[in-house]
Amino acid sequence: MLDSILVNVDFINTYTLPIMTDHAAEPPSSDARRLSTQEAAHLLGVKPATVYAYVSRGQLTSRRDPVGRGSSFDAREVEALARRSRREAAVPAGELAVRTSLTLIESDRYYFRGVDAVELATNRTYEEVAEWLWAGTLPRGVRFTAPPEALAAARRAVAALPEHSGPIDRLRVVVAAAAVVDPLRFDLSEEAVLGSARSLIPTLVGALPEVTPAVPADSLADERLARELWPRLTAHAPDRAALDGLDLALALLVDHDLAASTLAVRVAASARAHPYAAVSAGLGALEGPLHGAAGRLAHRMLAEVLERGGAAPVVAEYLRAGRRVPGLGHRLYQGEDPRARALFGHLETLPRAAPALGAARDVSAVMARHGLHANVDLALAVLTLSCGMPAEAGETVFAVARTAGWIAHALEEYQERPLRMRPSGHYEGPRPPRPLP
């Protein structure tokens, strides 16, 4: 299963707090209410010395009084920190909670910033859904463009890899190459991070080798990212419905709460790693066999079902070997994964998808008595198989799509207390002192 939640999440609206440092030479506007150290300490419920500790950690901005009577603090910053501290204190002991305003999953549905994600993905392009997740705006017709220098560097790096390199291998190399040529990568302001994201995602796609020379642009005029990705996944010429299916898959997979890869991104962002490094952390976790390989396994299973003419013997062999049947069940949904339902619905309009779709329905029917329903991995496998894509194509689609969500989570984490993703280790080794070996 692509998405497995590792932590409990406290879904509340995130208060966006800028990263703050002590800038004595840059006083805030004169209309900002100021608090003394004692007043700030009282509001925060801490000692005055702790207030200055917050300044040293970058959580508050202090301003020296011009006549040397101590420091003063912006009341809005102090109040925001107090609210955030109260929320953190409300988390049960020993439980890691991550505040997020991005994705809510409940009652077998999921939402991006409060909007039904399936409805959004069905009516908007992947790029537009990404913009909604990043900034809460829905600009029509937005397109991402790869910078020529980054694209050239990334293509050179990918070309140097062995032929047997997998999709995540290539994408990791692309991210590293794109980072090196971006002089603004260490700027963690929202504007800079989103600029990097809008450049990185098309670079990820444009640097991948084409399976076949691209179909002439005038044969299917389309400027979406899905159109650029298509010839890097299959030698089949795209039609409008198939391309819409790929775009829908990208939009549905933009984010899905705190999957393992997303948590890895937030840990990196907590250490103030730049967005490219955060995305690299996500790709590293995604390559794990328990997170990113499910689409590939489901693709191969469906191919075997088609070859053998039915799902029953294939499923029986999986169960006899003690293996999990891929593409079924999701710990966050009691019924069918809403992403799978939406993608299956679109695939029903593609004549070429009928055999693979029938195989998927057959697998689901055989496994129905186990209470397992189709998840998005199975639906993605139908798309990749019916469009002549290799088994690993699902990993590429997932990684490219989820990069937008990773960036959104990194942006949220940049507004939190630095290095908060630091659990305490419980040492279970031999007690010291011990003699030198």
Side-chain angles (χ1 to χ4, degrees):
M1 187 165 56
L2 287 177
D3 295 291
S4 61
I5 302 302
L6 299 184
V7 297
N8 294 316
V9 183
D10 183 15
F11 290 103
I12 64 175
N13 292 328
T14 299
Y15 183 92
T16 302
L17 181 66
I19 300 300
M20 294 168 284
T21 55
D22 192 350
H23 293 296
E26 299 176 11
S29 60
S30 58
D31 59 347
R33 187 163 58 93
R34 308 295 299 178
L35 299 179
S36 68
T37 303
Q38 292 292 341
E39 290 171 331
H42 178 75
L43 184 58
L44 292 167
V46 299
K47 296 179 179 179
T50 305
V51 175
Y52 290 105
Y54 289 145
V55 173
S56 66
R57 295 171 191 161
Q59 294 173 266
L60 283 178
T61 302
S62 67
R63 190 177 84 185
R64 284 289 178 184
D65 190 293
V67 296
R69 295 181 179 176
S71 300
S72 64
F73 304 86
D74 188 321
R76 292 170 300 182
E77 289 184 359
V78 176
E79 290 163 358
L81 180 58
R83 286 194 295 270
R84 190 171 65 182
S85 298
R86 286 194 294 270
R87 290 198 298 264
E88 291 178 350
V91 177
E95 178 180 324
L96 174 62
V98 178
R99 295 190 302 275
T100 179
S101 301
L102 301 176
T103 302
L104 171 65
I105 301 173
E106 65 179 14
S107 303
D108 279 355
R109 299 174 70 181
Y110 75 122
Y111 306 84
F112 293 153
R113 293 189 180 274
V115 175
D116 186 281
V118 169
E119 184 178 354
L120 190 64
T122 302
N123 291 282
R124 295 298 188 120
T125 67
Y126 165 73
E127 296 95 315
E128 291 167 349
V129 174
E131 291 286 348
W132 173 253
L133 201 66
W134 291 337
T137 60
L138 269 175
R140 277 288 187 185
V142 62
R143 296 293 177 260
F144 300 156
T145 304
E149 184 181 4
L151 186 56
R155 284 175 172 170
R156 289 194 299 270
V158 170
L161 293 174
E163 289 188 9
H164 64 267
S165 301
I168 305 301
D169 296 323
R170 296 190 180 101
L171 293 174
R172 282 205 308 260
V173 166
V174 172
V175 172
V180 171
V181 298
D182 184 357
L184 299 180
R185 66 184 180 277
F186 296 107
D187 184 349
L188 303 186
S189 66
E190 181 176 341
E191 181 181 6
V193 171
L194 290 183
S196 297
R198 295 181 184 112
S199 299
L200 174 60
I201 292 174
T203 301
L204 287 173
V205 173
L208 294 175
E210 293 185 1
V211 177
T212 185
V215 179
D218 59 356
S219 69
L220 184 57
D222 198 313
E223 296 181 352
R224 289 176 295 176
L225 190 81
R227 179 65 183 85
E228 182 75 12
L229 180 59
W230 182 275
R232 289 156 173 83
L233 300 176
T234 178
H236 291 198
D239 55 55
R240 179 67 63 185
L243 204 57
D244 287 346
L246 178 57
D247 186 70
L248 175 61
L250 289 167
L252 290 169
L253 291 167
V254 163
D255 189 48
H256 203 237
D257 193 48
L258 288 182
S261 56
T262 305
L263 181 60
V265 167
R266 294 197 76 129
V267 170
S270 176
R272 296 303 181 257
H274 58 68
Y276 297 92
V279 169
S280 292
L283 288 170
L286 182 63
E287 196 170 26
L290 300 182
H291 187 25
R296 180 193 300 238
L297 297 176
H299 178 112
R300 290 174 176 166
M301 178 188 67
L302 290 184
E304 187 177 357
V305 170
L306 289 173
E307 181 182 347
R308 300 183 62 173
V314 177
V315 169
E317 288 188 5
Y318 271 86
L319 297 178
R320 183 178 182 181
R323 291 185 294 163
R324 184 174 179 275
V325 179
L328 296 171
H330 198 294
R331 64 185 300 176
L332 296 181
Y333 301 114
Q334 293 184 352
E336 190 175 43
D337 184 335
R339 301 169 299 175
R341 187 165 53 248
L343 194 50
F344 280 146
H346 181 81
L347 290 168
E348 288 172 354
T349 68
L350 274 66
R352 71 170 78 178
L357 192 58
R361 296 300 192 198
D362 195 6
V363 170
S364 297
V366 170
M367 294 295 293
R369 67 179 180 179
H370 289 265
L372 295 176
H373 302 273
N375 63 37
V376 73
D377 302 319
L378 192 64
L380 191 58
V382 172
L383 174 68
T384 57
L385 186 62
S386 61
C387 293
M389 299 176 186
E392 61 269 20
E395 291 179 58
T396 304
V397 174
F398 183 86
V400 170
R402 189 55 58 87
T403 298
W406 291 337
I407 292 292
H409 280 273
L411 275 171
E412 277 198 336
E413 193 59 40
Y414 290 148
Q415 310 306 320
E416 295 288 352
R417 173 171 51 84
L419 293 175
R420 72 192 183 107
M421 299 287 189
R422 177 62 168 87
S424 299
H426 295 279
Y427 179 73
E428 295 181 346
R431 296 298 305 172
R434 299 188 70 199
L436 187 67

